[in-house]
Amino acid sequence: MSEAKLPAYNVLDSELKNHSLAVSPSELHGLLMGMICGGLTVSDESWVAAVCDYANQGDPLLDSAKATVRQVFDAASGELHSMAQVLFTSTAAELAESQFEVTLLLPAEDEVLDVRAEALSEWVTNFISGMGLMGMKKAELTPEVTEAVAALEEIAQLGINEDEDMEEQAQLLEQIIAYVPECVLSCLVGLGQRPESVEQPNIPGMPADDEPTLH
């Protein structure tokens, strides 16, 4: 598996805009991470159709645009694949000594607070959407995944209140950002133990502005 690294947020943002893709770096990364957790096959280009529908009004991606998105996909799939290998092959003792870090593609820490908060909401919302694209239904989820999804849905609704102490809100936001990876790991474990994986997203006729969700 490739050890591809995520491009910097600002660099990727510029590239996506240059390709006229209607998606932010956080939205794109969250979407792909959710699809991979939901069972997307990472050995082919199953992700292309979803990105075309979601970010390009259903039109095919130009090779240059596909290369830009592939940077994000390769980094996301490499990270989650490595974690899955450890999670599903290690003994309890080995797991106790393991450290798992899930990367969230967000604006830099010195960015304006509400910009980071909005990006986190976009990431979380699209992570849930990505799992929804893979056919996940709430009624079929394990209790652990159900709890994680519920927490993520709450996080997606959070925002910055300019009338409250900004320093306290900044600290809270960082705590939430640190908590989201735990939810992602819960989804990776719970969904990875399914007997079958959905290999291609089921999105026929989905309007570009209609974000799929778990149902």
Side-chain angles (χ1 to χ4, degrees):
M1 181 62 65
S2 167
E3 293 185 2
K5 298 193 178 195
L6 281 171
Y9 185 97
N10 289 341
V11 172
L12 180 58
D13 190 38
S14 296
E15 291 183 4
L16 293 173
K17 288 175 180 175
N18 288 339
H19 295 304
S20 299
L21 296 180
V23 62
S24 74
S26 296
E27 289 173 326
L28 177 62
H29 187 236
L31 180 74
L32 293 174
M33 291 281 275
M35 291 172 65
I36 295 167
C37 279
L40 177 72
T41 299
V42 300
S43 58
D44 56 31
E45 294 192 338
S46 300
W47 54 270
V48 174
V51 175
C52 290
D53 279 351
Y54 192 85
N56 205 37
Q57 297 183 330
D59 294 331
L61 295 178
L62 298 176
D63 288 343
S64 56
K66 187 183 291 187
T68 294
V69 177
R70 185 184 296 281
Q71 295 178 72
V72 183
F73 176 78
D74 286 348
S77 59
E79 182 175 48
L80 291 179
H81 177 78
S82 296
M83 289 183 186
Q85 283 189 316
V86 175
L87 286 166
F88 300 135
T89 61
S90 300
T91 65
E94 290 170 336
L95 283 174
E97 297 180 356
S98 299
Q99 293 184 343
F100 300 99
E101 296 182 2
V102 177
T103 305
L104 307 183
L105 187 53
L106 301 173
E109 292 183 7
D110 59 358
E111 182 58 87
V112 178
L113 188 59
D114 59 356
V115 171
R116 274 175 63 79
E118 181 178 359
L120 176 63
S121 177
E122 291 175 345
W123 196 99
V124 168
T125 298
N126 285 275
F127 177 80
I128 297 171
S129 295
M131 291 192 293
L133 280 174
M134 302 311 298
M136 300 297 97
K137 298 181 180 180
K138 283 187 175 180
E140 300 173 357
L141 300 180
T142 65
E144 292 77 14
V145 176
T146 298
E147 182 178 350
V149 170
L152 292 172
E153 289 175 334
E154 288 187 17
I155 290 171
Q157 302 301 316
L158 298 178
I160 300 301
N161 188 337
E162 296 182 356
D163 295 329
E164 296 184 5
D165 186 282
M166 298 300 285
E167 184 175 345
E168 289 184 0
Q169 291 186 86
Q171 293 175 352
L172 177 59
L173 178 63
E174 295 309 314
Q175 292 173 5
I176 294 172
I177 290 174
Y179 171 67
V180 169
E182 296 182 25
C183 297
V184 174
L185 283 172
S186 293
C187 293
L188 181 64
V189 172
L191 299 179
Q193 293 175 332
R194 291 179 299 135
E196 297 179 357
S197 292
V198 180
E199 294 194 353
Q200 297 196 6
N202 180 22
I203 46 174
M206 184 187 74
D209 58 352
D210 185 10
E211 294 182 359
T213 59
L214 293 173
H215 54 280

